[in-house]
Amino acid sequence: MKKLMSTLFVIAAAANMAVAGDKPDFSGNWKMDADKSVFGPMPPPTSMSCKIEHKDPDLNIVQSQSGAQGDQTMTFKYSTDGKETTNSLMGNDVKSKAAWDGKTLVVNSSLDAGGTQVKLTSKYSLSDDGKTLTQALSISAPQGDFDLTYVLVKQ
């Protein structure tokens, strides 16, 4: 019985390591491919880049973009183990929870923008060759729901 329990423990530990190893590492410098991105009703940025530092469960993203609204740099910090984090977006607190769904990182966020409740769901996925990062973003607000997709290429 003791040998069986030890064997089961080793199998379970190996399975956990295999699952952890399947999670992609989003670290790197990324630049938006505007031709492959989809902006929905939003005006597209003229350029966007991200610097990502990812050591699971810590994920730090510094996103810089230029466009009709001028130049912006935003910093987001997430914990991929489901712990709630708070970031600031244009002066509004954004509460987020990030968790893995297979090889996709799903970040569910909410914010109160001047009395308007907005919900955001970002799904980050990495191509098999590790050179393309896709962020599928769904936004739900009283004005309606819409989707954006940012395709980023590793630099």
Side-chain angles (χ1 to χ4, degrees), residues 110-133:
S110 62
L111 71 120
D112 181 339
T116 302
Q117 293 296 318
V118 179
K119 295 202 179 296
L120 308 129
T121 301
S122 291
K123 294 182 179 180
Y124 293 89
S125 58
L126 191 62
S127 62
D128 289 339
D129 65 5
K131 295 181 181 179
T132 304
L133 175 64

Side-chain angles (χ1 to χ4, degrees), residues 15-93:
N16 283 339
M17 283 189 278
V19 169
D22 287 344
K23 295 176 185 170
D25 180 352
F26 298 135
S27 295
N29 292 311
W30 302 88
K31 184 177 177 183
M32 178 185 69
D33 183 336
D35 292 335
K36 293 182 180 176
S37 298
V38 179
F39 304 102
M42 302 294 287
T46 53
S47 68
M48 184 173 94
S49 62
C50 293
K51 180 178 181 181
I52 301 176
E53 294 177 4
H54 183 193
K55 292 184 180 177
D56 225 28
D58 297 322
L59 177 65
N60 300 314
I61 302 172
V62 177
Q63 179 178 312
S64 299
Q65 68 182 40
S66 297
Q69 299 172 342
D71 296 338
Q72 298 177 349
T73 299
M74 300 165 278
T75 301
F76 304 98
K77 295 184 179 208
Y78 302 112
S79 182
T80 64
D81 57 7
K83 291 180 186 170
E84 185 174 83
T85 57
T86 302
N87 293 288
S88 180
L89 181 63
M90 294 188 249
N92 298 296
D93 282 347

Side-chain angles (χ1 to χ4, degrees), residues 11 43 47 95:
I11 291 171
S47 68
K95 304 235 180 245

